[in-house]
Amino acid sequence: MSTGSGDEERAWAADKRDFVADQRDEVADERDSVADIRERTADDREAELDKWERQLDARAAKLAGPAEKSGASAQRAEARAGLSEARQNRDEARAKRTIAAADREESTKRRQADAPPTRLAMVFADLAEQLYDADSFDDVLSRIAGAAVSTIAGCRMASVTLCERSEYRTAASTDPAAMAVDQAQYQSHEGPCVDAVDAPMVYAHSFPDERWPTLASRPTKSGVQSALSYRLAAANSGTADSAGGSLNSYGVIPHAFNDTAQEIGLILAAHASVAARVVNERSTLQSLGRDLQQVLLSRDVIGQAKGILMERLKITPEDAFDLLRRSSQHLHVKLRDVARGLAESGELEMTRASRPADQH
């Protein structure tokens, strides 16, 4: 956020640093845990190997001559020395990780002692709830753009670009100027929002940027001096129509986004990609449910209409359906609507000459 007093700005920046530090510590803890498991496995494996080699030594001592004993024993002793050295290196690495983990824990304690639960963490918790509660895919995209403005320091306006069938479009925007900058990039076929469809993050410190000579300084005409774009994963991974998109943060000064802002944006983009996919899949399932319900209702009403015709005209189910079909063609309305009219009124809107020949 870029509004409020200087104290609020500093507090907000401190909150962001703490949040990113917590994220880094969690990643480091997970990495250390994996290393510990891997090294315990190596220890167990080497202990088993050592056991077998000692048994081989004992057997060789009984079977081999003095010279063979000496050579084999020397080789195995050398191998054991190598295993012992590797084990010692792992022990040292484990000790260093233990010290680093203790340092991280102490740093976390200091951060918690110096400040209450971070405002940024609460913002992200609220954001997650808002994103997953979105009513539609378009709604979640609008919320994602708004979230960029509220959480990424230096971001004054934001937009979401979607790439569909190799065509780009702005699906959500917080400001007409952001949409204008998007359009300039689409027309130039280059720019951060275009590149970010295939890259995790693209940062334009200022315009013009030598990476995009055709775009040049066009964004500055809309008041945008810097841009930070992130890749958004495709909301529907099962189709080739969508190649994903990008979340675009625009600043009104050059070099508007520092390292912390860039990291916060990456976290937001990850949240946004998951939320967009969930909401899109939910909407798809709801649409399929409605379609299925409509199909079932249509089958039911057509069955009722066929039953009426079969009982009234003493015809077969096939003839009844054929009569409904020809009525639909004659009246230029859908078959289910013809069937519904018959079921509700008891009358079939069709000339008697259209009845099956065996009923004349």
Side-chain angles (χ1 to χ4, degrees), residues 109-121:
K109 290 178 180 177
R110 286 198 299 269
R111 289 197 300 271
Q112 291 175 343
D114 293 340
T118 66
R119 192 184 321 171
L120 184 61

Side-chain angles (χ1 to χ4, degrees), residues 229-271:
S229 294
Y230 300 93
R231 179 171 58 200
L232 291 178
N236 191 346
S237 58
T239 68
D241 290 341
S242 176
S246 59
L247 170 61
N248 312 305
S249 305
Y250 294 125
V252 296
I253 60 173
H255 303 274
F257 305 101
N258 58 25
D259 291 344
T260 301
Q262 295 174 44
E263 291 173 332
I264 293 299
L266 280 172
I267 297 171
L268 173 60
H271 275 280

